[in-house]
Amino acid sequence: MAGSSGLGGGARGGQGPGTGPGAALRAPRAPLLLAALLLGAYSLCALPGRCPPAARAPAPAPAPAEPPRAARSPGAPGLQVARGPGRRRFPQALIVGVKKGGTRALLEFLRLHPDVRALGSEPHFFDSNLMPRTLDGQITMEKTPSYFVTREAPGRIHGMSPDTKLIVVVRNPVTRAISDYAQTLSKTPGLPSFRALAFRHGLGAVDTAWSAVRIGLYAQHLEHWLRYFPLSRFLFVSGERLVSQPAAELGRVQDFLGLRRVVTDKHFYFNATKGFPCLRKAQGSRRPRCLGGSKGRPHPRVPEAVVRRLRDFYRPFNRKFYQMTGQDFGWD
């Protein structure tokens, strides 16, 4: 796990209690040239009659003015952005999964909120320690959907903060697997068919070693997380409702995070071409914006027999997941 080095450490304010040239020499940011000049002046003034008394005790430098805490962004009315350096903090909330479930859409929608600070990319905080600077009162967030299926992630996150709020965006595991395959296929032409990867020996046993299938075993992954966190630390967001009712799902997320319900229906419009909601006003802009071109890509045709076989396979896992979370996502 990444340590706290570089996080939450602001600049030191003012100088120490001493006065005279020695105090200036102790300033942590004094340039080497200035230090050398002061040392020379100190040596010269040590000789009798060579330095006026006033030079022996220079007035301390005035403390730097406190940077402004926040200002309005000219391109986004009502959106607060930091003008000062802010502080790097441990994330108080994480979108931990799942891949191809709608995590990117949720993050982009949440970034409309003035009290949420998050990087647009997946920072992999526990690998590279790249978190944005935030102001007091803002929530620092990260989205890395691979966490939900990474065995080491729950223990590392719990070690960082057992009070971290965890958001999991889930989607029908069959549709999610096909979407996952479509993404891989776009980057790796010539990939074997979805059917060949999902099953052993025709339509035999489902191959859970294939990550596209394994990710959809939500109940198994959640069991591992519950060894470290109580269920109350989780919010499970429906990827389907994030498309059909984005404002309603965002309302649940804002409540879970203890935020004002700032992101509402007025921020969305449905793009029939892409098949999902877009933002009327993107962060830092007055122009509407949809997610990138890779979102909403067409899925390859998968035979109905393959889809039906996968639905049967996932059904008991889905029902167990419904019981564990207290939510029926309607996938069966």
Side-chain angles (χ1 to χ4, degrees):
M1 183 182 74
S4 60
S5 175
L7 298 176
R12 299 179 183 176
Q15 295 181 356
T19 60
L25 286 172
R26 289 193 297 271
R29 295 182 180 176
L32 293 178
L33 180 58
L34 179 59
L37 291 173
L38 289 172
L39 181 60
Y42 181 89
S43 301
L44 182 63
C45 290
L47 298 177
R50 297 301 301 272
C51 189
R56 297 180 184 273
E66 183 178 352
R69 296 172 62 83
R72 297 288 182 185
S73 168
L79 183 65
Q80 288 189 331
V81 295
R83 294 295 189 190
R87 290 196 298 152
R88 297 193 187 278
R89 310 169 193 262
F90 288 117
Q92 293 97 10
L94 297 172
I95 302 175
V96 297
V98 297
K99 179 185 178 185
K100 306 308 295 179
T103 59
R104 178 67 184 189
L106 177 60
L107 182 72
E108 289 300 315
F109 298 163
L110 275 175
R111 291 177 74 203
L112 292 172
H113 201 293
D115 294 332
V116 172
R117 289 287 288 122
L119 293 177
S121 59
E122 295 171 12
H124 293 267
F125 170 75
F126 297 100
D127 299 329
S128 54
N129 214 7
L130 298 174
M131 291 306 294
R133 295 182 181 274
T134 57
L135 304 173
D136 291 339
Q138 290 183 318
I139 289 179
T140 307
M141 291 195 66
E142 179 198 345
K143 174 193 82 79
T144 303
S146 62
Y147 286 162
F148 192 63
V149 298
T150 302
R151 296 287 294 181
E152 299 81 8
R156 291 177 178 176
I157 293 170
H158 185 273
M160 175 195 72
S161 173
D163 296 325
T164 303
K165 294 183 177 182
L166 305 165
I167 300 174
V168 187
V169 188
V170 288
R171 181 183 183 188
N172 185 318
V174 178
T175 310
R176 197 223 66 81
I178 296 172
S179 180
D180 197 338
Y181 173 78
Q183 182 184 57
T184 306
L185 184 64
S186 69
K187 300 175 182 178
T188 314
L191 200 66
S193 69
F194 180 88
R195 172 176 176 169
L197 293 171
F199 299 94
R200 302 189 187 101
H201 313 297
L203 281 180
V206 174
D207 190 355
T208 56
W210 185 34
S211 64
V213 169
R214 187 175 65 254
I215 289 173
L217 302 175
Y218 304 142
Q220 289 188 359
H221 303 308
L222 181 57
E223 280 182 338
H224 183 60
W225 281 84
L226 291 178
R227 297 174 188 172
Y228 296 87
F229 294 93
L231 193 63
S232 60
R233 305 309 302 174
F234 291 86
L235 178 69
F236 300 93
V237 175
S238 166
E240 287 82 11
R241 287 196 293 270
L242 201 57
V243 172
S244 63
Q245 305 171 52
E249 284 299 279
L250 260 292
R252 293 180 61 238
V253 176
Q254 290 171 95
D255 291 346
F256 175 69
L257 296 175
L259 299 170
R260 296 169 292 135
R261 285 202 175 194
V262 172
V263 185
T264 62
D265 278 319
K266 67 182 181 182
H267 291 94
F268 302 101
Y269 73 95
F270 188 80
N271 186 305
T273 302
K274 285 184 169 290
F276 53 76
C278 298
L279 302 176
R280 292 189 184 279
K281 289 183 179 180
Q283 185 186 38
S285 172
R286 294 181 181 273
R287 300 177 58 187
R289 186 176 76 82
C290 288
L291 297 181
S294 64
K295 305 299 179 182
R297 64 165 61 89
H299 289 178
R301 184 182 177 278
V302 177
E304 181 58 33
V306 172
V307 174
R308 187 166 52 248
R309 178 76 174 81
L310 271 182
R311 283 176 182 161
D312 293 341
F313 167 76
Y314 278 120
R315 187 170 293 111
F317 295 100
N318 292 343
R319 290 178 177 174
K320 184 176 181 180
F321 186 65
Y322 299 166
Q323 293 174 352
M324 296 173 72
T325 61
Q327 293 179 236
D328 187 337
F329 291 90
W331 299 325
D332 302 310

